[in-house]
C-alpha cells in the first residue's frame, strides 16, 4: 500500500536519515507520497515553517481505528528507515455509519466513485460527516509515535467541482456552500482537517526548537 510519509532530513546513518532530531533537522521534511495534489496542499500549509520535498514508500496494508493505523504505520516506517519519520492518514467518516468508511475511504472511492459514496447514505436521512486527518510522529525505532489529528465537520452532497482530488467533490464543510473541490485552495487550507492537524504538528515542531 502506498501511503503518505514524512522523513526528517539531515541523517548520518546508512539509510540517509537522522537517528535523532535536532532544531536544524526539523527545518526540512521529505513528504513521501504519490499524490501530487496532497503534496501541493501540504506544501502550502507548511509554507514558511519547513522546506518540503517529496518521495514515495510502500508499507503493508493495515486495519483498525484511525489512531491505531497511523501509529502502527509510523512504527513500521521508523523501523524500516532506522530514523525519525511522520506519517499521514486521511479519513472521511459518515455519522450515520458510525464513522465508516473512515480510514478505508481511499478504497471505497476507487471502487464506487463519487456517486457510490452518495449511495452509501441513500437509506439515511442523516448526511452529516466529518473529515479526519491524522499525523503520527516517531523520533525513531523504539519510540512511541505522537499523534496529531484534525477534524472538520460537514455533510455528504452530490459531487460538485473538480473531481481529481479524491472525495473532495462530495464533502461540503459546515458553514460553507461550497464543497472542498469548489473552494479556493487558500480558503480550504485554513479550515480543512489537514490544516488543523498540521497546526498541531507545527506547534510541536516549534516547541522542539525552543
Amino acid at each position: 500500500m502506498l501511503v503518505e510519509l514524512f522523513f526528517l532530513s539531515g541523517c548520518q546513518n546508512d539509510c540517509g536519515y537522522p537517528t535523532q532530531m535536532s532544531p536544524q533537522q526539523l527545518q526540512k521534511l521529505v513528504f513521501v507520497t504519490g499524490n501530487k495534489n496532497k503534496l501541493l496542499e501540504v506544501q502550502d500549509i507548511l509554507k514558511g515553517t519547513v522546506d518540503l520535498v517529496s518521495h514515495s514508500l510502500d508499507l503493508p496494508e493495515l486495519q483498525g481505528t484511525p489512531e491505531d493505523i497511523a501509529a502502527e504505520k509510523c512504527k513500521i516506517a521508523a523501523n524500516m528507515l532506522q530514523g525519525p519519520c511522520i506519517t499521514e492518514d486521511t479519513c472521511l467518516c459518515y455519522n450515520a455509519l458510525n464513522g465508516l468508511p473512515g480510514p478505508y475511504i481511499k478504497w471505497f472511492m476507487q471502487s464506487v466513485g463519487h456517486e457510490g459514496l452518495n449511495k452509501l447514505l441513500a437509506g439515511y436521512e442523516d448526511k452529516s460527516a466529518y473529515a479526519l486527518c491524522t499525523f503520527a510522529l516517531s523520533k525513531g525505532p523504539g519510540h512511541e509515535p505522537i499523534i496529531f489529528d484534525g477534524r472538520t465537520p460537514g455533510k455528504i452532497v452530490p459531487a460538485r467541482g473538480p473531481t481529481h482530488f479524491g472525495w473532495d467533490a462530495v464533502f461540503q464543510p459546515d458553514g460553507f456552500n461550497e464543497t472542498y473541490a469548489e473552494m479556493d485552495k487558500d480558503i480550504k487550507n485554513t479550515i480543512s482537517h489537514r490544516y488543523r492537524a498540521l497546526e498541531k504538528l507545527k506547534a510541536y515542531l516549534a516547541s522542539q526548537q525552543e
Side-chain angles (χ1 to χ4, degrees):
M1 174 184 179
L2 184 66
V3 299
E4 292 68 38
L5 177 64
F6 284 116
F7 301 114
L8 298 173
S9 68
C11 173
Q12 301 300 320
N13 64 21
D14 292 339
C15 296
Y17 301 103
T19 55
Q20 294 182 346
M21 293 187 293
S22 70
Q24 292 75 28
Q25 292 163 355
L26 291 173
Q27 296 302 310
K28 190 174 183 66
L29 294 171
V30 178
F31 187 25
V32 179
T33 182
N35 187 325
K36 65 179 182 180
N37 293 306
K38 186 173 290 187
L39 171 63
L40 290 173
E41 187 169 292
V42 174
Q43 284 177 325
D44 282 342
I45 296 171
L46 290 178
K47 188 184 304 179
T49 303
V50 292
D51 292 326
L52 199 68
V53 294
S54 64
H55 191 57
S56 61
L57 183 75
D58 286 320
L59 292 177
E61 183 64 49
L62 301 170
Q63 298 184 38
T65 67
E67 283 199 358
D68 289 343
I69 291 172
E72 188 60 25
K73 283 181 181 178
C74 200
K75 288 179 182 179
I76 293 171
N79 285 329
M80 290 173 64
L81 297 167
Q82 289 298 294
C85 63
I86 300 173
T87 59
E88 189 254 28
D89 288 277
T90 300
C91 302
L92 182 61
C93 307
Y94 295 4
N95 290 316
L97 300 181
N98 296 318
L100 291 173
Y104 314 111
I105 184 59
K106 177 180 178 180
W107 313 112
F108 274 72
M109 178 65 200
Q110 290 180 350
S111 297
V112 302
H114 293 104
E115 183 177 356
L117 293 180
N118 272 271
K119 287 182 177 179
L120 289 173
L121 292 176
Y124 298 91
E125 183 177 349
D126 184 4
K127 310 297 184 184
S128 67
Y130 59 92
L132 176 68
C133 181
T134 306
F135 286 90
L137 164 67
S138 172
K139 296 182 179 180
H143 290 269
E144 191 66 24
I146 304 167
I147 302 297
F148 309 89
D149 60 14
R151 180 182 299 206
T152 298
K155 63 181 177 180
I156 303 302
V157 299
R160 301 198 311 266
T163 58
H164 61 274
F165 195 178
W167 43 265
D168 275 21
V170 301
F171 183 74
Q172 181 176 313
D174 288 349
F176 294 86
N177 295 318
E178 301 171 304
T179 64
Y180 266 176
E182 294 175 303
M183 283 184 166
D184 182 281
K185 68 176 184 178
D186 291 335
I187 296 176
K188 179 189 174 187
N189 288 346
T190 60
I191 60 96
S192 75
H193 54 306
R194 185 166 294 113
Y195 164 78
R196 289 171 173 164
L198 285 172
E199 283 295 287
K200 295 177 182 178
L201 173 60
K202 286 196 292 185
Y204 177 81
L205 294 178
S207 73
Q208 298 302 293
Q209 300 179 58
E210 295 176 353

